[in-house]
PDB file of all heavy atoms in Angstrom:
ATOM      1  N   SER A 327     -92.916  31.034  11.624  1.00 89.00           N
ATOM      2  CA  SER A 327     -93.477  32.317  11.218  1.00 89.00           C
ATOM      3  C   SER A 327     -92.819  32.823   9.948  1.00 89.00           C
ATOM      4  O   SER A 327     -93.447  33.499   9.135  1.00 89.00           O
ATOM      5  CB  SER A 327     -93.332  33.356  12.340  1.00 89.00           C
ATOM      6  OG  SER A 327     -91.967  33.579  12.648  1.00 89.00           O
ATOM      7  N   TYR A 328     -91.554  32.492   9.748  1.00 85.00           N
ATOM      8  CA  TYR A 328     -90.879  32.877   8.509  1.00 85.00           C
ATOM      9  C   TYR A 328     -91.532  32.190   7.316  1.00 85.00           C
ATOM     10  O   TYR A 328     -91.710  32.789   6.256  1.00 85.00           O
ATOM     11  CB  TYR A 328     -89.405  32.500   8.583  1.00 85.00           C
ATOM     12  CG  TYR A 328     -88.635  32.839   7.330  1.00 85.00           C
ATOM     13  CD1 TYR A 328     -88.200  34.144   7.099  1.00 85.00           C
ATOM     14  CD2 TYR A 328     -88.360  31.874   6.365  1.00 85.00           C
ATOM     15  CE1 TYR A 328     -87.503  34.474   5.940  1.00 85.00           C
ATOM     16  CE2 TYR A 328     -87.669  32.193   5.209  1.00 85.00           C
ATOM     17  CZ  TYR A 328     -87.239  33.490   5.000  1.00 85.00           C
ATOM     18  OH  TYR A 328     -86.567  33.812   3.857  1.00 85.00           O
ATOM     19  N   GLY A 329     -91.934  30.917   7.515  1.00 83.00           N
ATOM     20  CA  GLY A 329     -92.546  30.176   6.417  1.00 83.00           C
ATOM     21  C   GLY A 329     -94.017  30.471   6.229  1.00 83.00           C
ATOM     22  O   GLY A 329     -94.516  30.475   5.107  1.00 83.00           O
ATOM     23  N   VAL A 330     -94.734  30.732   7.322  1.00 85.00           N
ATOM     24  CA  VAL A 330     -96.189  30.893   7.245  1.00 85.00           C
ATOM     25  C   VAL A 330     -96.594  32.356   7.121  1.00 85.00           C
ATOM     26  O   VAL A 330     -97.436  32.718   6.304  1.00 85.00           O
ATOM     27  CB  VAL A 330     -96.862  30.269   8.488  1.00 85.00           C
ATOM     28  CG1 VAL A 330     -98.356  30.590   8.509  1.00 85.00           C
ATOM     29  CG2 VAL A 330     -96.650  28.764   8.490  1.00 85.00           C
ATOM     30  N   SER A 331     -95.991  33.228   7.939  1.00 84.00           N
ATOM     31  CA  SER A 331     -96.444  34.617   7.963  1.00 84.00           C
ATOM     32  C   SER A 331     -95.403  35.604   7.450  1.00 84.00           C
ATOM     33  O   SER A 331     -95.753  36.672   6.966  1.00 84.00           O
ATOM     34  CB  SER A 331     -96.833  35.016   9.392  1.00 84.00           C
ATOM     35  OG  SER A 331     -95.683  35.115  10.211  1.00 84.00           O
ATOM     36  N   GLY A 332     -94.161  35.281   7.614  1.00 83.00           N
ATOM     37  CA  GLY A 332     -93.125  36.197   7.186  1.00 83.00           C
ATOM     38  C   GLY A 332     -92.835  37.306   8.177  1.00 83.00           C
ATOM     39  O   GLY A 332     -91.876  38.061   8.016  1.00 83.00           O
ATOM     40  N   SER A 333     -93.640  37.442   9.210  1.00 89.00           N
ATOM     41  CA  SER A 333     -93.438  38.487  10.212  1.00 89.00           C
ATOM     42  C   SER A 333     -92.815  37.859  11.456  1.00 89.00           C
ATOM     43  O   SER A 333     -93.477  37.617  12.464  1.00 89.00           O
ATOM     44  CB  SER A 333     -94.768  39.155  10.551  1.00 89.00           C
ATOM     45  OG  SER A 333     -94.572  40.251  11.414  1.00 89.00           O
ATOM     46  N   VAL A 334     -91.524  37.608  11.371  1.00 91.00           N
ATOM     47  CA  VAL A 334     -90.827  36.885  12.426  1.00 91.00           C
ATOM     48  C   VAL A 334     -90.769  37.693  13.718  1.00 91.00           C
ATOM     49  O   VAL A 334     -91.014  37.165  14.804  1.00 91.00           O
ATOM     50  CB  VAL A 334     -89.398  36.518  11.964  1.00 91.00           C
ATOM     51  CG1 VAL A 334     -88.652  35.790  13.064  1.00 91.00           C
ATOM     52  CG2 VAL A 334     -89.448  35.684  10.701  1.00 91.00           C
ATOM     53  N   LEU A 335     -90.458  38.971  13.624  1.00 91.00           N
ATOM     54  CA  LEU A 335     -90.291  39.798  14.818  1.00 91.00           C
ATOM     55  C   LEU A 335     -91.578  39.879  15.629  1.00 91.00           C
ATOM     56  O   LEU A 335     -91.556  39.758  16.859  1.00 91.00           O
ATOM     57  CB  LEU A 335     -89.833  41.209  14.423  1.00 91.00           C
ATOM     58  CG  LEU A 335     -89.582  42.178  15.583  1.00 91.00           C
ATOM     59  CD1 LEU A 335     -88.507  41.626  16.513  1.00 91.00           C
ATOM     60  CD2 LEU A 335     -89.180  43.551  15.051  1.00 91.00           C
ATOM     61  N   ALA A 336     -92.709  40.072  14.951  1.00 92.00           N
ATOM     62  CA  ALA A 336     -93.988  40.166  15.656  1.00 92.00           C
ATOM     63  C   ALA A 336     -94.312  38.853  16.364  1.00 92.00           C
ATOM     64  O   ALA A 336     -94.731  38.848  17.530  1.00 92.00           O
ATOM     65  CB  ALA A 336     -95.104  40.528  14.682  1.00 92.00           C
ATOM     66  N   ALA A 337     -94.107  37.736  15.671  1.00 93.00           N
ATOM     67  CA  ALA A 337     -94.402  36.433  16.260  1.00 93.00           C
ATOM     68  C   ALA A 337     -93.520  36.154  17.466  1.00 93.00           C
ATOM     69  O   ALA A 337     -93.999  35.708  18.518  1.00 93.00           O
ATOM     70  CB  ALA A 337     -94.229  35.343  15.208  1.00 93.00           C
ATOM     71  N   ILE A 338     -92.226  36.412  17.333  1.00 94.00           N
ATOM     72  CA  ILE A 338     -91.294  36.161  18.440  1.00 94.00           C
ATOM     73  C   ILE A 338     -91.597  37.077  19.622  1.00 94.00           C
ATOM     74  O   ILE A 338     -91.518  36.666  20.783  1.00 94.00           O
ATOM     75  CB  ILE A 338     -89.840  36.341  17.961  1.00 94.00           C
ATOM     76  CG1 ILE A 338     -89.449  35.173  17.046  1.00 94.00           C
ATOM     77  CG2 ILE A 338     -88.883  36.434  19.133  1.00 94.00           C
ATOM     78  CD1 ILE A 338     -88.038  35.258  16.506  1.00 94.00           C
ATOM     79  N   SER A 339     -91.979  38.318  19.344  1.00 94.00           N
ATOM     80  CA  SER A 339     -92.301  39.260  20.422  1.00 94.00           C
ATOM     81  C   SER A 339     -93.515  38.787  21.224  1.00 94.00           C
ATOM     82  O   SER A 339     -93.509  38.821  22.461  1.00 94.00           O
ATOM     83  CB  SER A 339     -92.564  40.650  19.845  1.00 94.00           C
ATOM     84  OG  SER A 339     -91.410  41.155  19.195  1.00 94.00           O
ATOM     85  N   VAL A 340     -94.555  38.340  20.515  1.00 94.00           N
ATOM     86  CA  VAL A 340     -95.752  37.838  21.198  1.00 94.00           C
ATOM     87  C   VAL A 340     -95.413  36.614  22.045  1.00 94.00           C
ATOM     88  O   VAL A 340     -95.821  36.509  23.210  1.00 94.00           O
ATOM     89  CB  VAL A 340     -96.855  37.490  20.174  1.00 94.00           C
ATOM     90  CG1 VAL A 340     -98.001  36.735  20.842  1.00 94.00           C
ATOM     91  CG2 VAL A 340     -97.380  38.757  19.512  1.00 94.00           C
ATOM     92  N   PHE A 341     -94.629  35.704  21.476  1.00 95.00           N
ATOM     93  CA  PHE A 341     -94.286  34.494  22.212  1.00 95.00           C
ATOM     94  C   PHE A 341     -93.384  34.806  23.406  1.00 95.00           C
ATOM     95  O   PHE A 341     -93.492  34.158  24.450  1.00 95.00           O
ATOM     96  CB  PHE A 341     -93.610  33.490  21.280  1.00 95.00           C
ATOM     97  CG  PHE A 341     -93.487  32.108  21.867  1.00 95.00           C
ATOM     98  CD1 PHE A 341     -94.596  31.444  22.350  1.00 95.00           C
ATOM     99  CD2 PHE A 341     -92.257  31.469  21.935  1.00 95.00           C
ATOM    100  CE1 PHE A 341     -94.502  30.170  22.896  1.00 95.00           C
ATOM    101  CE2 PHE A 341     -92.144  30.202  22.474  1.00 95.00           C
ATOM    102  CZ  PHE A 341     -93.268  29.548  22.949  1.00 95.00           C
ATOM    103  N   ALA A 342     -92.504  35.787  23.269  1.00 95.00           N
ATOM    104  CA  ALA A 342     -91.637  36.172  24.382  1.00 95.00           C
ATOM    105  C   ALA A 342     -92.465  36.694  25.560  1.00 95.00           C
ATOM    106  O   ALA A 342     -92.158  36.409  26.728  1.00 95.00           O
ATOM    107  CB  ALA A 342     -90.635  37.231  23.932  1.00 95.00           C
ATOM    108  N   VAL A 343     -93.521  37.454  25.258  1.00 95.00           N
ATOM    109  CA  VAL A 343     -94.408  37.932  26.320  1.00 95.00           C
ATOM    110  C   VAL A 343     -95.105  36.759  27.000  1.00 95.00           C
ATOM    111  O   VAL A 343     -95.219  36.711  28.231  1.00 95.00           O
ATOM    112  CB  VAL A 343     -95.448  38.921  25.745  1.00 95.00           C
ATOM    113  CG1 VAL A 343     -96.509  39.252  26.792  1.00 95.00           C
ATOM    114  CG2 VAL A 343     -94.765  40.185  25.268  1.00 95.00           C
ATOM    115  N   VAL A 344     -95.553  35.785  26.206  1.00 95.00           N
ATOM    116  CA  VAL A 344     -96.189  34.588  26.774  1.00 95.00           C
ATOM    117  C   VAL A 344     -95.212  33.858  27.694  1.00 95.00           C
ATOM    118  O   VAL A 344     -95.574  33.429  28.799  1.00 95.00           O
ATOM    119  CB  VAL A 344     -96.669  33.647  25.654  1.00 95.00           C
ATOM    120  CG1 VAL A 344     -97.128  32.312  26.236  1.00 95.00           C
ATOM    121  CG2 VAL A 344     -97.799  34.290  24.864  1.00 95.00           C
ATOM    122  N   ILE A 345     -93.967  33.704  27.265  1.00 95.00           N
ATOM    123  CA  ILE A 345     -92.951  33.029  28.071  1.00 95.00           C
ATOM    124  C   ILE A 345     -92.762  33.757  29.406  1.00 95.00           C
ATOM    125  O   ILE A 345     -92.701  33.123  30.473  1.00 95.00           O
ATOM    126  CB  ILE A 345     -91.616  32.950  27.311  1.00 95.00           C
ATOM    127  CG1 ILE A 345     -91.731  31.964  26.144  1.00 95.00           C
ATOM    128  CG2 ILE A 345     -90.479  32.525  28.240  1.00 95.00           C
ATOM    129  CD1 ILE A 345     -90.502  31.931  25.253  1.00 95.00           C
ATOM    130  N   ALA A 346     -92.676  35.089  29.361  1.00 95.00           N
ATOM    131  CA  ALA A 346     -92.469  35.868  30.580  1.00 95.00           C
ATOM    132  C   ALA A 346     -93.633  35.700  31.558  1.00 95.00           C
ATOM    133  O   ALA A 346     -93.435  35.500  32.766  1.00 95.00           O
ATOM    134  CB  ALA A 346     -92.277  37.343  30.228  1.00 95.00           C
ATOM    135  N   LEU A 347     -94.858  35.755  31.045  1.00 93.00           N
ATOM    136  CA  LEU A 347     -96.029  35.594  31.901  1.00 93.00           C
ATOM    137  C   LEU A 347     -96.127  34.180  32.449  1.00 93.00           C
ATOM    138  O   LEU A 347     -96.518  33.966  33.598  1.00 93.00           O
ATOM    139  CB  LEU A 347     -97.302  35.961  31.122  1.00 93.00           C
ATOM    140  CG  LEU A 347     -97.421  37.432  30.713  1.00 93.00           C
ATOM    141  CD1 LEU A 347     -98.662  37.642  29.847  1.00 93.00           C
ATOM    142  CD2 LEU A 347     -97.474  38.338  31.940  1.00 93.00           C
ATOM    143  N   CYS A 348     -95.769  33.211  31.620  1.00 92.00           N
ATOM    144  CA  CYS A 348     -95.793  31.815  32.061  1.00 92.00           C
ATOM    145  C   CYS A 348     -94.778  31.589  33.171  1.00 92.00           C
ATOM    146  O   CYS A 348     -95.056  30.907  34.161  1.00 92.00           O
ATOM    147  CB  CYS A 348     -95.503  30.908  30.863  1.00 92.00           C
ATOM    148  SG  CYS A 348     -95.649  29.147  31.216  1.00 92.00           S
ATOM    149  N   LEU A 349     -93.587  32.155  33.030  1.00 91.00           N
ATOM    150  CA  LEU A 349     -92.556  32.019  34.064  1.00 91.00           C
ATOM    151  C   LEU A 349     -93.027  32.631  35.376  1.00 91.00           C
ATOM    152  O   LEU A 349     -92.819  32.069  36.452  1.00 91.00           O
ATOM    153  CB  LEU A 349     -91.262  32.684  33.597  1.00 91.00           C
ATOM    154  CG  LEU A 349     -90.099  32.657  34.603  1.00 91.00           C
ATOM    155  CD1 LEU A 349     -89.727  31.230  34.965  1.00 91.00           C
ATOM    156  CD2 LEU A 349     -88.896  33.405  34.035  1.00 91.00           C
ATOM    157  N   ARG A 350     -93.686  33.757  35.277  1.00 91.00           N
ATOM    158  CA  ARG A 350     -94.230  34.391  36.482  1.00 91.00           C
ATOM    159  C   ARG A 350     -95.224  33.472  37.178  1.00 91.00           C
ATOM    160  O   ARG A 350     -95.214  33.335  38.404  1.00 91.00           O
ATOM    161  CB  ARG A 350     -94.899  35.708  36.107  1.00 91.00           C
ATOM    162  CG  ARG A 350     -95.501  36.443  37.296  1.00 91.00           C
ATOM    163  CD  ARG A 350     -96.216  37.702  36.859  1.00 91.00           C
ATOM    164  NE  ARG A 350     -96.828  38.377  37.986  1.00 91.00           N
ATOM    165  CZ  ARG A 350     -97.606  39.439  37.885  1.00 91.00           C
ATOM    166  NH1 ARG A 350     -97.850  39.971  36.700  1.00 91.00           N
ATOM    167  NH2 ARG A 350     -98.143  39.988  38.948  1.00 91.00           N
ATOM    168  N   GLY A 351     -96.088  32.837  36.379  1.00 89.00           N
ATOM    169  CA  GLY A 351     -97.049  31.902  36.965  1.00 89.00           C
ATOM    170  C   GLY A 351     -96.384  30.706  37.613  1.00 89.00           C
ATOM    171  O   GLY A 351     -96.795  30.243  38.684  1.00 89.00           O
ATOM    172  N   LEU A 352     -95.335  30.183  36.979  1.00 88.00           N
ATOM    173  CA  LEU A 352     -94.602  29.054  37.549  1.00 88.00           C
ATOM    174  C   LEU A 352     -93.998  29.416  38.901  1.00 88.00           C
ATOM    175  O   LEU A 352     -94.068  28.648  39.867  1.00 88.00           O
ATOM    176  CB  LEU A 352     -93.483  28.617  36.597  1.00 88.00           C
ATOM    177  CG  LEU A 352     -93.836  27.689  35.436  1.00 88.00           C
ATOM    178  CD1 LEU A 352     -92.602  27.455  34.581  1.00 88.00           C
ATOM    179  CD2 LEU A 352     -94.401  26.365  35.924  1.00 88.00           C
ATOM    180  N   LEU A 353     -93.400  30.591  38.971  1.00 86.00           N
ATOM    181  CA  LEU A 353     -92.714  30.999  40.193  1.00 86.00           C
ATOM    182  C   LEU A 353     -93.677  31.333  41.319  1.00 86.00           C
ATOM    183  O   LEU A 353     -93.345  31.181  42.495  1.00 86.00           O
ATOM    184  CB  LEU A 353     -91.825  32.205  39.902  1.00 86.00           C
ATOM    185  CG  LEU A 353     -90.638  31.959  38.968  1.00 86.00           C
ATOM    186  CD1 LEU A 353     -89.932  33.262  38.638  1.00 86.00           C
ATOM    187  CD2 LEU A 353     -89.661  30.971  39.583  1.00 86.00           C
TER     188      LEU A 353
END
């Protein structure tokens, strides 16, 4: 995201939400 969009915080925040929801599904 730093190289493509430059908006690192927004990208990481979206992916962190995906990780949390995915973990919930796994459990």
Side-chain angles (χ1 to χ4, degrees):
S327 61
Y328 179 80
V330 173
S331 70
S333 186
V334 179
L335 182 59
I338 288 179
S339 298
V340 170
F341 192 54
V343 171
V344 171
I345 290 174
L347 294 175
C348 185
L349 178 59
R350 180 183 178 186
L352 277 177
L353 294 174

